[in-house]
Amino acid sequence: MSDPAYSNVVTEHFDRPRNVGVLATAPDVISGRAGSREQGTEFRLTARVAEDRIVEARFQVFGCPHCVAAGSILTDTLVGKDLAFLRTWSWRELASQLELPTTKRGRFLILEDAVRAMADDWARRF
Amino acid sequence: MTQPCIYLDYAASTPVDPRVAEAMIECLKAADTHGNPSSMGHEFGRKARALVEKARAQVANAIGAQPQAIVWTSGATESNNLALFGAAQLHADKGRHIVSSKTEHKAVLDPLKQLERQGFTVTYLKPQSNGIVAPEQVAEALRPDTVLVSLMHVNNEIGVIQDVGAVGRLCRERGILFHVDAAQSIGKVDVDVEAMHIDLLSMTAHKVYGPKGIGALYVRRNPPLALRPLLFGGGQEGGLRSGTLPTHQIVGMGAAFALAAAEREADTARLRVLRERLWRGIQEVGQVDLNGDPEQRVANVLNVSFHGVEGESLQFALRELAVSTGAACSSGSDEGSYVLRALGRNDQLAQSSLRFSLGRFTTEADIDAAIAAVQREVPRLREIAKLSS
């Protein structure tokens, strides 16, 4: 049974999200967090960095199916990316890819905040 | 996803019982029942009228009323509107204060808001955390200018049963009109308008395995209670509800209410066992709250808040189950249910709530499949949403 509220991509990543979890704290692990349960959306991102590139990433999210799918796709995308990518990443392309309803844009801005927080953590550590 | 959807949303609407459908089809197919039930001058009209009156007696019998006290409407929303506007406006010379509760259905709350715009004052009682409005709360809210009390019998979201008998008694003692929205109670709990001192009672067929689009309002006859109609026209139903009577719909409601009265005890006993099975299965995922009083509630409704999961994801993850969510009744907004919030649940918990409502055609296999889905998906979502620090 399909649900008109969610695209096939959202459904696929919601049902089988990639990279769920958190990387244990370590010198080469960066993290970023934004939002809150009270707001209805909270993201936590962690990634391992080696030779100025992300080599693996994980996410956790308290949020709607679009947010789960966003965390799944983003963490796949992050592998191989550098600090500059995190600094300039925008929610818009992912929103378009996932056919995000305009009423949910604020939730992806929270994800963007988490990405920026991770960039700041990277800049502080390396 | 290819698996069939399991229907656990009987409190929203029920399938038509095949026996009811049979009676309706018979009525539609018969060669001599298509007359206007108001056309008493010929056999076609008289035959249709006989069917309407048989159904009126069936509905009356289900609530302990006389048949002449039943007025056909299009459903509970119209019945509520007719009761509230009809009583308040006609009796406004006696006072303009109304008492109701915060957890009524929108079909009561919105007419009351409209009456407020017309100069009435409404006291909305906040139920206790178990969803019950204590009769003492009603007593304390009554004023010399109170003309009407409106309280639902069974809450549509959490299934708690209000003590309408006690409220009816204190209203009758004070000469205050008492309206009860009984959309959710027929076939689930005993309804006796005489014993409960009810002046006006709203009913609908589609929650009782009857068709959509037909309902009724009980209007006290002894002594007769006057109402101002909403619709004007041919003067049907004693002038209270103009419009040609839909014979086959009425036949369906009559048959449905007759079955509800005959099978209530067997239905509720079976459903209580299934609901308890479901609740035990759901509790195994831990960190769940039952919404509403654990005892004073109907057998077929289970409203549960799930901690640690986001409401929309919960609903989508369990899309193989046709259930209602805590956010469903606020038409797509992200606000949690106003009923659950009135019980003191925060927005997040109200959103992460599901109403499972069982019915006549729910099977043990349905319940076991629902339990399996909850036990699979809730821990999965909690893992995604864990966000440990």
Side-chain angles (χ1 to χ4, degrees):
Chain A
M1 190 184 321
S2 66
D3 189 319
Y6 308 103
S7 69
N8 290 339
V9 180
V10 172
T11 304
E12 162 62 21
H13 280 270
F14 178 78
D15 286 345
R16 283 169 286 276
R18 287 65 153 164
N19 313 313
V20 171
V22 59
L23 294 171
T25 305
D28 58 346
V29 170
I30 57 172
S31 68
R33 190 168 186 156
S36 68
R37 281 182 190 228
E38 292 67 36
Q39 283 175 271
T41 304
E42 183 175 14
F43 280 99
R44 185 186 196 195
L45 303 172
T46 51
R48 188 179 312 282
V49 174
E51 297 177 355
D52 293 333
R53 298 278 165 179
I54 290 173
V55 292
E56 59 176 328
R58 298 281 185 276
F59 82 100
Q60 290 172 318
V61 63
F62 180 89
C64 70
H66 283 100
C67 292
V68 174
S72 173
I73 292 172
L74 174 69
T75 45
D76 260 356
T77 309
L78 287 180
V79 175
K81 299 296 190 297
D82 60 9
L83 176 58
F85 180 88
L86 295 189
R87 287 244 185 266
T88 56
W89 183 82
S90 160
W91 60 276
R92 288 181 186 277
E93 192 182 329
L94 195 51
S96 168
Q97 184 186 350
L98 298 182
E99 298 170 34
L100 186 75
T102 52
T103 51
K104 287 187 173 181
R105 284 179 174 181
R107 302 174 190 191
F108 276 32
L109 285 166
I110 291 173
L111 176 58
E112 192 174 292
D113 285 348
V115 172
R116 295 284 184 273
M118 194 159 67
D120 291 345
D121 194 29
W122 190 337
R124 268 197 306 273
R125 284 166 184 267
F126 294 94
Chain B
M1 199 169 73
T2 54
Q3 69 262 48
C5 198
I6 295 166
Y7 193 77
L8 292 172
D9 207 13
Y10 281 79
S13 196
T14 55
V16 175
D17 189 297
R19 294 166 291 181
V20 172
E22 192 63 35
M24 293 178 71
I25 291 166
E26 206 173 296
C27 172
L28 284 166
K29 283 169 113 175
D32 53 358
T33 60
H34 60 276
N36 189 320
S38 299
S39 299
M40 296 296 279
H42 54 67
E43 192 60 17
F44 297 94
R46 284 194 292 273
K47 284 211 168 167
R49 171 59 68 174
L51 292 174
V52 166
E53 294 314 315
K54 179 187 172 191
R56 199 188 301 275
Q58 288 170 317
V59 170
N61 181 58
I63 60 167
Q66 295 298 310
Q68 59 269 30
I70 303 300
V71 176
W72 301 113
T73 67
S74 61
T77 294
E78 184 188 336
S79 298
N80 286 333
N81 275 264
L82 177 58
L84 297 168
F85 286 112
Q89 291 175 342
L90 197 69
H91 300 275
D93 57 324
K94 293 179 191 146
R96 287 177 161 261
H97 179 241
I98 300 167
V99 175
S100 190
S101 87
K102 289 177 187 288
T103 52
E104 296 298 303
H105 193 276
K106 291 279 188 188
V108 165
L109 293 177
D110 278 9
L112 290 176
K113 279 180 195 155
Q114 189 62 29
L115 283 166
E116 286 185 276
R117 291 186 199 105
Q118 295 175 10
F120 288 85
T121 305
V122 182
T123 300
Y124 299 96
L125 298 170
K126 185 180 190 308
Q128 305 161 94
S129 59
N130 62 357
I132 306 287
V133 175
E136 299 75 39
Q137 290 179 267
V138 178
E140 284 167 21
L142 297 179
R143 309 191 320 205
D145 62 339
T146 305
V147 283
L148 177 65
V149 171
S150 180
L151 194 64
M152 71 200 321
H153 193 185
V154 171
N155 184 272
N156 52 305
E157 288 195 36
I158 55 176
V160 297
I161 305 166
Q162 303 294 351
D163 188 355
V164 291
V167 174
R169 197 176 315 115
L170 66 92
C171 287
R172 189 62 58 86
E173 284 166 5
R174 291 163 174 81
I176 294 166
L177 294 178
F178 183 39
H179 167 246
V180 173
D181 176 357
Q184 295 283 350
S185 47
I186 308 298
K188 282 92 176 175
V189 286
D190 186 33
V191 179
D192 186 329
V193 288
E194 295 289 339
M196 293 170 166
H197 310 291
I198 293 166
D199 299 304
L200 295 155
L201 182 106
S202 300
M203 296 164 273
T204 189
H206 81 99
K207 312 267 194 200
V208 195
Y209 311 96
K212 295 169 181 61
I214 182 73
L217 178 67
Y218 160 82
V219 184
R220 190 196 71 207
R221 296 284 294 201
N222 187 25
L225 168 60
L227 293 179
R228 179 177 291 178
L230 296 175
L231 300 179
F232 298 88
Q236 288 88 345
E237 299 299 279
L240 274 179
R241 209 284 187 173
S242 285
T244 301
L245 294 171
T247 312
H248 66 290
Q249 297 284 87
I250 289 170
V251 164
M253 181 159 175
F257 273 50
L259 286 172
E263 299 183 0
R264 179 169 63 86
E265 285 185 20
D267 267 354
T268 53
R270 192 181 74 88
L271 291 174
R272 186 168 286 111
V273 171
L274 288 181
R275 186 198 62 191
E276 287 310 305
R277 183 184 184 92
L278 178 59
W279 179 224
R280 280 196 304 275
I282 288 174
Q283 280 178 293
E284 284 185 27
V285 302
Q287 290 186 287
V288 290
D289 294 331
L290 174 69
N291 292 311
D293 192 273
E295 303 297 330
Q296 203 170 323
R297 64 194 175 116
V298 287
N300 68 315
V301 173
L302 184 67
N303 190 311
V304 181
S305 292
F306 293 84
H307 291 257
V309 291
E310 193 271 342
E312 190 184 327
S313 282
L314 178 65
Q315 184 185 10
F316 190 47
L318 294 176
R319 59 194 182 278
E320 71 203 80
L321 309 179
V323 296
S324 283
T325 68
C329 292
S330 47
S331 59
S333 100
D334 273 1
E335 255 180 34
S337 142
Y338 67 91
V339 171
L340 297 181
R341 282 186 291 129
L343 268 55
R345 301 287 187 222
N346 62 33
D347 260 353
Q348 191 245 302
L349 264 188
Q351 279 174 31
S352 302
S353 301
L354 296 178
R355 178 190 68 185
F356 303 85
S357 52
L358 290 52
R360 191 175 286 162
F361 308 110
T362 305
T363 64
E364 199 171 280
D366 291 338
I367 295 304
D368 288 347
I371 291 169
V374 168
Q375 291 186 350
R376 183 186 70 239
E377 291 299 324
V378 171
R380 183 178 85 86
L381 293 177
R382 283 178 175 159
E383 192 60 32
I384 295 171
K386 202 153 67 180
L387 279 100
S388 47
S389 51

